[in-house]
Amino acid sequence: MIFRQTRALVVVLFRNWTRRARRLGDSPKRGFPVTFVLNLIFLLYFAPVLWKNGLAISQLGEFRSTGTRLGLYGIILLNASSALTLISPEMGKLRLPLRHSLLDELPVSPFPIMIATWLQSAPYIIISGAFLLGLSPELNHSPLGISYLTAFLLLLSLSACALGMALVSLIRALLPAHVRSKLTFLSVAGMLFGFLLLSFSKLAASLSWLTFDPWSGVFEWLAEFLTGPYHSIGSLAAIGLVATAALGITTACELRGYDRIDSAPPVRPNDRVKGALDMARVERLLGDRETGKRFAFILFILLGAALIFGQHAMKSSAAIDIPVLMATNIVYLSSMLTLQFASTMVKRDVDARALLSTLPIEPYQTLAGKVSALRRRLVPLAMLALIVLGMMVPRLGLSGVLWRGCIFYVSLWLLCDAGVSISFLSRGLGAAAAMGASGGASFATTLLMFPFIMANLSTNPFSALISLAMLWAISREAKRSAEKCVRWLDDSGDVERESEIWRALLVLSAFFATQGLVAQMLKFIGLSISDGRTLAVTYGISAIVLALLTYRERARLPLLVLWPKKPLALLLGLGGGALTAFGSVRLFRLITDHDLLPEGWLPKASEAAPTQGVWMVAVAVIIVAPIAEEFFFRGWLQTAIANQLSPQKRRRAILYGALVFAGIHVGSLYLPQFALGLIAGALYFWSGGLLPGILAHAMHNGLATWLGK
Amino acid sequence: MESLLNAKGLGKRFGAHDALAGVDFELGSGELLGLLGPNGAGKTTTLKLLLGMLRPTSGSASVLGFDCTEASLEVKRRIGYSPDEPAFYNFLTGRETIDFASEMRGVARADAWAEIEPMIRALDFSEQLEVLTSNYSHGMKKKLALLLALAHRPKVLLLDEPTNGLDPPTAHAVKELLIEKAAQGAGILLSTHLLEMADRMCTRVMILHRGTIVARGSVADVRARAGVAPEASLEDAFLKIVSSPT
């Protein structure tokens, strides 16, 4: 019995952990749990951020009274409902024939699933812990406090899982089938609400009227109970008791024979889709079904409620810039919802692949339909954004709001395109953390989130446009790649099915993600951003990742040749690099001397020169960066683009490569980087070797840093 | 006899493993060709190659003149395929699934329903049409897959274990139905491991073993090839053929 259950636990864990990013047309196949590891890394990235947020919130005067509570309720609800969402589909799956799992044959009890859920929620526990740690200064920096918090969170999440499981068992035992089928939906709604509560807990600082509610006493007691004196063994014991009780309920249901495998499947005609079918065109049929409308509706209601909260808060306090806060939340929420919706639509097709692959339609032919369905779903959110934008007029002025609004809508429009295309290509795409572990973040997500967030948080329209252009380029390439490669094929070993440019873009996103991750880690251990060591280590590690990933690709690339066929190119490289460096410094001086750019447009990076670790910076900037970046941008990206063009147009690859190269230098003046990209690209094209470009790059970086001081 | 399906040197290699080592066969109008073989012999691989879901490593196949790899969409428009393990959108009912498939194939719904109405009655499926496919048993899924494969009146039918999971009366009805379709001029390629069924229904059989065709022809030919008595069952012949070191 114990052996069986242990085996079931292993199966449940590994079925979820080995889910590999695949394209839509692929048949299911097991793989190394790369996605899981990447997800974990990506989620850990958020921990320091949330810790910092928590700390900042806790320093607001009025916060202690209401903010803690709302934040905590958010965390609890998020954990509990994420457990529920994870569990309920698992329970559902138990009676579906799973071809690739042992689960069908095993008499699985819910407990292994519960434990697996608990273990899988590790990233969320860590994130919640970091947030709570930041919220409670009295717990900070005390070993006892931190260990209390760790135990508290582990127990809390276990009891949340247990409660979720008990709830599922009870529901299965007591409720009729049609109510049962709503379970997943309810838990997702709960999670969404938890997330909103969490993100709007900042507002609570000024919501003094909330203290008058009749539940106030209970809330006070709960808050005291949860965050109170950390030596209180009693609170831990109480949570343990809750978990035990929940486990007891589950066991009782089990013993009573409410067996999940035998339970009658809900049988009911599907009224929802009737009628819709009559007017459906091919695209709409594949794109716009089921949960979307309900989701959008609930979201609309919830956000409306949040808006009312916000207005009240505005009246009562000016401590927090509420419109800005709400705008940030809407940007974040819309990006995640877009990616989540896109991923759900594509996953649904994957489930029905046995049917779709026999019909005369290839997956990519449904792409346009899915994108327009997704856009329709986001209409309520877009309307809400309009209200928030209106609220921001007094602060930013009409023109400021106008360009920001345009950027938001255009970027959301592009994100829909890119989100669906990338879902087609990766299938693993989901929204980070917000919708529970079933979403899961991926590097492909970073690829979209980075330019999307950069575009929406830009302080000036110029850099916003650059980020928008990046987003457009990514969405275009993803679409092209999806149309070219995604077919109903059962052979995932078919290498021709991925475009070289697309793989290059994914590697680029890994480069960014590593940069962000390392920077966060360093900030966490106390290195300041102006410290040269931070810059050097952050950049160095990500550049090494870039170089290694490029090197790994060598079998598919034409030989990465270092030495040029024309030695003159080496001299030209050095000269070109010096030229762009001088140009860069001159341009910067010209702009500052004559005030050519409005306030906030000038890049900040050029102002701060590192005071410590200058040598490390020098090594990173003059040696590591040129080698890694030239290998990637010229050796891989430019070559890949050139391979896509006809021989007459092949030179254009230099231009496109240089545009991407300039585009990723966020916070720069872009122009010098563009010129450098053109020079290095042309030299590689002309001489056939990477060394001239590396010399140009090293010369540019070295001189610009030195002269810029 | 009009040739509907043509495979020439059709082969598929997965890594170092030859799943199908260059097979040739034809399917004519009105023919019921049984594709027999033990597990892993290459039956499903053959069907997937014909459907364009796998790219052949050697040779080619065509259906009604359309290449199965290059023009797989044209092929899919013209054939009916019922997979061994069907799956559908689980938020649609059986009826909606059929409507959906008709729409995808560009077939008028009324035509599709007129075509399958008698089959629905024969398979006793009309009540289950209103049930969400997520609640279907394996047998119900097989029935729906069969209806979907037949709804656009295809001239070529590829059926992977069509009676798997069906109760004996329904299985019998399916067999009758297929014989009738063949009589009307359809070419049916039937992959199965049920030798009794092949024995009774097929005009020709083809035995696949480790990716190669080890015997083909009418059931009588296969018996003769195996060297068993003419009154022996196909099973005896089959066992003898696949156990001999070919």
Side-chain angles (χ1 to χ4, degrees):
Chain A
M1 182 65 189
I2 288 175
F3 171 70
R4 266 184 181 170
Q5 297 304 342
T6 317
R7 196 153 71 117
L9 175 63
V10 171
V11 169
V12 172
L13 272 177
F14 277 83
R15 202 192 60 238
N16 289 316
W17 283 12
T18 57
R19 222 174 263 157
R20 209 181 55 158
R22 286 183 306 260
R23 286 143 300 177
L24 172 65
D26 286 348
S27 56
K29 194 183 166 195
R30 290 270 168 85
F32 181 75
V34 178
T35 321
F36 174 75
V37 175
L38 295 183
N39 284 349
L40 198 67
I41 293 173
F42 193 71
L43 288 167
L44 286 181
Y45 168 87
F46 283 108
V49 180
L50 273 168
W51 171 74
K52 234 184 99 225
N53 280 356
L55 206 62
I57 295 168
S58 73
Q59 277 151 10
L60 292 168
E62 305 144 79
F63 159 77
R64 295 290 304 155
S65 55
T66 337
T68 321
R69 275 192 253 141
L70 274 190
L72 275 173
Y73 305 146
I75 289 170
I76 294 165
L77 203 56
L78 204 62
N79 258 316
S81 51
S82 118
L84 246 170
T85 330
L86 266 172
I87 290 170
S88 46
E90 289 294 344
M91 298 287 287
K93 271 181 214 158
L94 284 178
R95 40 162 286 274
L96 295 175
L98 285 169
R99 287 175 70 178
H100 298 273
S101 151
L102 282 171
L103 273 179
D104 331 340
E105 296 110 53
L106 291 174
V108 192
S109 99
F111 297 109
I113 301 177
M114 191 200 80
I115 300 289
T117 309
W118 185 46
L119 291 177
Q120 280 172 357
S121 63
Y124 303 94
I125 300 174
I126 293 168
I127 286 176
S128 311
F131 187 61
L132 216 58
L133 206 63
L135 275 178
S136 325
E138 72 269 25
L139 295 181
N140 244 336
H141 310 303
S142 137
L144 192 63
I146 291 173
S147 32
Y148 163 76
L149 195 71
T150 313
F152 170 76
L153 281 170
L154 286 175
L155 260 173
L156 185 69
S157 55
L158 180 64
S159 67
C161 289
L163 271 173
M165 184 55 83
L167 201 57
V168 171
S169 294
L170 272 178
I171 285 168
R172 294 191 84 94
L174 303 175
L175 294 183
H178 63 277
V179 182
R180 264 190 271 162
S181 66
K182 297 238 183 337
L183 182 71
T184 310
F185 172 64
L186 284 177
S187 65
V188 170
M191 189 142 60
L192 200 62
F193 190 64
F195 170 70
L196 278 174
L197 214 55
L198 195 65
S199 47
F200 284 92
S201 63
K202 298 174 191 181
L203 288 179
S206 44
L207 294 176
S208 49
W209 54 273
L210 246 189
T211 43
F212 297 120
D213 72 312
W215 292 94
S216 174
V218 182
F219 283 173
E220 298 268 301
W221 177 81
L222 248 176
E224 184 60 30
F225 172 67
L226 293 174
T227 56
Y230 49 75
H231 48 268
S232 158
I233 302 295
S235 58
L236 291 185
I239 297 170
L241 220 73
V242 172
T244 318
L247 290 177
I249 294 173
T250 312
T251 316
C253 289
E254 282 292 293
L255 292 179
R256 287 288 299 278
Y258 294 115
D259 190 272
R260 65 244 148 250
I261 295 167
D262 294 337
S263 64
V267 179
R268 71 202 165 90
N270 191 354
D271 296 325
R272 260 194 333 279
V273 287
K274 287 220 172 73
L277 238 112
D278 296 327
M279 46 187 255
R281 305 269 327 130
V282 167
E283 299 89 40
R284 289 217 33 219
L285 270 170
L286 275 176
D288 190 10
R289 303 313 299 256
E290 217 197 6
T291 51
K293 284 164 199 157
R294 284 188 308 192
F295 251 128
F297 180 69
I298 292 282
L299 189 74
F300 193 67
I301 301 282
L302 285 178
L303 286 176
L307 194 73
I308 297 166
F309 267 62
Q311 278 173 332
H312 269 282
M314 270 220 301
K315 276 183 212 151
S316 56
S317 162
I320 305 172
D321 202 334
I322 280 122
V324 172
L325 196 68
M326 293 189 65
T328 321
N329 271 311
I330 283 185
V331 166
Y332 186 51
L333 205 66
S334 52
S335 64
M336 284 187 309
L337 278 175
T338 312
L339 299 184
Q340 185 69 34
F341 284 161
S343 149
T344 316
M345 283 200 278
V346 169
K347 274 184 183 139
R348 239 163 17 204
D349 278 11
V350 174
D351 290 341
R353 91 186 289 281
L355 167 69
L356 293 175
S357 59
T358 66
L359 299 174
I361 186 160
E362 289 291 1
Y364 68 89
Q365 290 174 306
T366 69
L367 211 149
K370 287 194 169 61
V371 173
S372 57
L374 182 60
R375 284 179 183 149
R376 275 199 301 278
R377 265 182 216 188
L378 289 173
V379 167
L381 194 72
M383 282 165 66
L384 195 78
L386 214 58
I387 303 172
V388 176
L389 280 167
M391 285 163 69
M392 287 172 79
V393 173
R395 188 177 178 276
L396 296 168
L398 193 61
S399 64
V401 167
L402 267 180
W403 74 256
R404 280 182 177 85
C406 288
I407 294 285
F408 173 71
Y409 287 118
V410 175
S411 61
L412 199 60
W413 186 263
L414 287 174
L415 194 68
C416 292
D417 230 337
V420 176
S421 302
I422 292 185
S423 286
F424 266 80
L425 287 166
S426 70
R427 259 173 72 179
L429 183 134
M435 308 295 271
S438 51
S442 70
F443 274 177
T445 320
T446 330
L447 198 61
L448 291 179
M449 291 288 264
F450 184 73
F452 181 79
I453 301 282
M454 286 315 286
N456 281 291
L457 298 185
S458 289
T459 49
N460 66 72
F462 179 61
S463 58
L465 277 176
I466 299 268
S467 298
L468 214 57
M470 290 291 282
L471 193 60
W472 173 79
I474 291 167
S475 94
R476 220 191 105 121
E477 178 52 28
K479 200 169 179 176
R480 201 187 65 89
S481 198
E483 284 175 352
K484 187 168 164 251
C485 306
V486 183
R487 296 283 183 282
W488 293 119
L489 276 183
D490 261 358
D491 187 1
S492 54
D494 198 335
V495 286
E496 284 170 33
R497 300 183 48 217
E498 221 163 31
S499 90
E500 199 66 57
I501 303 176
W502 179 247
R503 256 205 307 279
L505 285 177
L506 282 181
V507 166
L508 198 60
S509 73
F511 172 64
F512 284 130
T514 320
Q515 251 181 37
L517 184 67
V518 177
Q520 282 297 337
M521 296 290 174
L522 292 181
K523 223 191 274 177
F524 199 55
I525 61 167
L527 273 180
S528 89
I529 195 82
S530 63
D531 193 321
R533 286 171 298 178
T534 311
L535 188 75
V537 173
T538 307
Y539 189 78
I541 291 179
S542 51
I544 289 168
V545 167
L546 185 70
L548 286 177
L549 289 173
T550 311
Y551 181 72
R552 218 187 66 171
E553 195 70 9
R554 71 196 180 286
R556 293 208 187 111
L557 291 174
L559 284 172
L560 293 168
V561 186
L562 200 62
W563 199 255
K565 283 186 207 129
K566 298 176 171 107
L568 178 65
L570 295 173
L571 268 179
L572 288 177
L574 283 173
L579 204 70
T580 54
F582 280 118
S584 163
V585 176
R586 192 79 201 95
L587 183 68
F588 192 75
R589 292 224 176 104
L590 197 74
I591 290 169
T592 41
D593 289 352
H594 295 86
D595 280 334
L596 290 179
L597 286 177
E599 182 73 28
W601 282 49
L602 207 60
K604 287 197 182 94
S606 324
E607 295 163 6
T611 46
Q612 287 162 295
V614 178
W615 281 109
M616 283 175 77
V617 175
V619 170
V621 163
I622 302 173
I623 298 171
V624 182
I627 295 177
E629 288 186 12
E630 287 307 311
F631 262 87
F632 175 77
F633 281 101
R634 256 54 73 179
W636 185 347
L637 190 65
Q638 183 177 315
T639 315
I641 297 173
N643 287 344
Q644 295 295 320
L645 300 170
S646 64
Q648 297 85 17
K649 293 179 182 168
R650 211 152 269 181
R651 280 199 189 96
R652 291 189 195 172
I654 302 172
L655 175 72
Y656 298 145
L659 280 174
V660 178
F661 178 70
I664 64 145
H665 285 85
V666 176
S668 73
L669 285 170
Y670 298 109
L671 215 58
Q673 280 77 12
F674 177 60
L676 176 66
L678 280 182
I679 290 173
L683 286 173
Y684 178 58
F685 193 82
W686 179 62
S687 74
L690 287 166
L691 199 57
I694 294 175
L695 287 179
H697 202 142
M699 182 60 111
H700 172 98
N701 284 3
L703 264 183
T705 316
W706 184 57
L707 292 172
K709 274 173 122 181
Chain B
M1 189 171 62
E2 186 195 355
S3 170
L4 303 173
L5 188 157
N6 229 312
K8 284 199 192 88
L10 195 62
K12 179 68 189 174
R13 172 181 280 273
F14 292 108
H17 168 63
D18 254 334
L20 203 63
V23 298
D24 300 272
F25 61 90
E26 263 190 15
L27 177 69
S29 169
E31 218 180 354
L32 237 160
L33 174 61
L35 188 58
L36 314 177
N39 293 339
K43 301 190 296 283
T44 303
T45 303
T46 309
L47 292 184
K48 284 186 171 169
L49 282 165
L50 294 176
L51 207 66
M53 285 181 68
L54 286 174
R55 285 177 183 160
T57 26
S58 66
S60 67
S62 65
V63 170
L64 296 161
F66 291 99
D67 187 277
C68 291
T69 313
E70 301 305 319
S72 73
L73 291 191
E74 291 304 319
V75 170
K76 282 177 190 173
R77 247 184 268 282
R78 287 164 177 81
I79 62 175
Y81 172 65
S82 152
D84 186 20
E85 299 264 357
F88 312 100
Y89 279 121
N90 55 16
F91 52 90
L92 294 183
T93 64
R95 179 176 294 280
E96 289 161 345
T97 307
I98 290 171
D99 282 345
F100 168 77
S102 309
E103 193 124 357
M104 289 287 150
R105 287 178 173 138
V107 176
R109 281 186 207 169
D111 292 352
W113 284 107
E115 173 69 17
I116 58 174
E117 208 58 69
M119 302 175 211
I120 292 172
R121 257 179 280 123
L123 297 178
D124 190 20
F125 199 63
S126 48
E127 265 177 47
Q128 292 149 345
L129 274 177
E130 312 305 329
V131 176
L132 285 181
T133 59
S134 55
N135 301 324
Y136 276 17
S137 67
H138 188 244
M140 287 156 83
K141 281 187 183 165
K142 291 296 278 192
K143 285 189 205 174
L144 181 59
L146 197 66
L147 291 175
L148 282 170
L150 290 165
H152 55 303
R153 255 178 260 182
K155 280 191 140 182
V156 179
L157 271 171
L158 308 180
L159 307 174
D160 203 348
E161 306 283 1
T163 57
N164 244 9
L166 299 184
D167 53 61
T170 320
H172 180 75
V174 168
K175 285 177 213 162
E176 295 294 313
L177 193 72
L178 294 181
I179 291 170
E180 190 194 318
K181 286 286 152 198
Q184 288 168 7
I188 303 177
L189 182 61
L190 183 79
S191 154
T192 183
H193 66 274
L194 298 176
L195 298 164
E196 167 275 328
M197 183 165 121
D199 204 352
R200 286 231 328 263
M201 290 171 64
C202 294
T203 45
R204 265 197 312 144
V205 292
M206 199 160 77
I207 297 180
L208 264 181
H209 187 40
R210 295 193 186 125
T212 48
I213 297 176
V214 290
R216 66 166 92 207
S218 68
V219 175
D221 291 345
V222 171
R223 281 200 197 97
R225 154 84 176 75
V228 295
E231 65 279 4
S233 68
L234 182 60
E235 190 172 359
D236 292 334
F238 178 83
L239 288 174
K240 189 134 187 223
I241 289 169
V242 298
S243 59
S244 66
T246 313

